[in-house]
Amino acid sequence: MDINGAVVLVTGASSGIGAATARAASQAGAQVVLAARREERIRKLADELGDAVAVRCDVTDPEQVEVAVRTATDAFGRIDVLVNNAGQGLHAPIDEIDPDDFRAVLDLNLVAPLITMRAVIPIMRKQAAGSIVNVSSGITFGALPGSGAYAGSKAGLSKLSAVARAELADTGIAVSTLYPFITATEFVDSIRAGNEAASDLESSHAPQPQTPDQVAEAILDLVRTGAEQADLVPERFGGSFKG
């Protein structure tokens, strides 16, 4: 898909990978819809980008997602690209995971992408074209102690994404999955539990984290090519990234 002139809806757009993706898409000529809970941040970003709309949205709430989608179509007439980026971490051994925390992480990392896909697929079907990029995680490439809740949610998203791709193969809608590695964002600061342990794990695996801009470019490459997946996981951890 040509990003120039496309309408791109990005979830979790208030910071990190989401904000970087919105900026990169805008620079490539897209009209961008910013969806996130932190309204002040996305409104400021929308002002920065110019041809953009900010919508306060908790993506775990189907009604708020419908409002965001309706806002996008009212503003731009269509939705060409959905980037499912919103997510949250949780770091704890299996026997210490609070079930309520686990449910909350699953709700945001796995159920919410289902909600947003359900909301945009009918629009993309009518257009006979569309691109959905689901942001999973390179943590699913291994079995790291303490990562069970987060990795489990992202592994589920990867499978959901693969099934959606198969189901929509004949509709003109490409569903792709991106596997970022450790990225320099606010992610660790906002995880639901186990902040210190997660920070130690990240520093031991990536003393120099990748930048959100690197991830954003990988997301846009998937939009352009419609490829099934891409990863930024270094080869020594089972990925294809050579940098």
Side-chain angles (χ1 to χ4, degrees):
M1 177 176 290
D2 187 355
I3 296 171
N4 186 24
V7 178
V8 179
L9 171 60
V10 182
T11 73
S14 60
S15 65
I17 292 170
T21 300
R23 287 190 178 96
S26 179
Q27 290 167 4
Q31 297 167 310
V32 183
V33 181
L34 311 166
R37 288 176 292 187
R38 293 180 289 186
E39 186 173 10
E40 183 177 347
R41 286 197 181 194
I42 54 175
R43 290 201 179 282
K44 183 177 179 180
L45 180 56
D47 290 341
E48 172 194 324
L49 299 181
D51 201 3
V53 173
V55 188
R56 187 191 181 283
C57 180
D58 178 347
V59 288
T60 67
D61 183 340
E63 292 184 0
Q64 292 190 40
V65 170
E66 288 293 343
V67 169
V69 168
R70 188 162 58 250
T71 300
T73 55
D74 287 348
F76 301 120
R78 64 188 193 279
I79 296 175
D80 299 304
V81 179
L82 167 66
V83 179
N84 268 321
N85 165 73
Q88 186 177 39
L90 192 162
H91 191 90
I94 296 295
D95 58 338
E96 295 179 14
I97 296 172
D98 185 309
D100 289 336
D101 285 343
F102 191 27
R103 290 187 188 96
V105 168
L106 286 173
D107 203 23
L108 181 55
N109 292 359
L110 182 55
V111 179
L114 172 66
I115 292 170
T116 55
M117 285 194 287
R118 279 172 49 91
V120 303
I121 285 171
I123 297 167
M124 293 180 176
R125 281 188 187 274
K126 289 180 181 178
Q127 298 168 175
S131 170
I132 298 172
V133 178
N134 293 315
V135 181
S136 182
S137 172
I139 204 166
T140 61
F141 283 39
L144 295 176
S147 71
Y150 179 65
S153 70
K154 288 298 189 177
L157 177 59
S158 299
K159 181 57 69 176
L160 182 69
S161 188
V163 172
R165 182 179 180 86
E167 291 178 349
L168 298 170
D170 298 327
T171 67
I173 304 170
V175 182
S176 308
T177 309
L178 180 69
Y179 298 88
F181 194 56
I182 295 167
T183 312
T185 68
E186 300 173 6
F187 179 79
V188 170
D189 295 332
S190 64
I191 67 173
R192 195 165 185 89
N195 178 287
E196 185 175 347
S199 181
D200 291 344
L201 179 65
E202 284 203 351
S203 62
S204 68
H205 281 71
Q208 294 182 316
Q210 295 166 350
T211 67
D213 291 339
Q214 284 178 280
V215 183
E217 283 306 317
I219 289 171
L220 295 192
D221 282 345
L222 284 174
V223 173
R224 294 185 182 101
T225 65
E228 182 174 2
Q229 64 181 55
D231 74 82
L232 293 171
V233 181
E235 290 179 312
R236 68 182 183 278
F237 294 115
S240 64
F241 186 68
K242 300 179 184 298

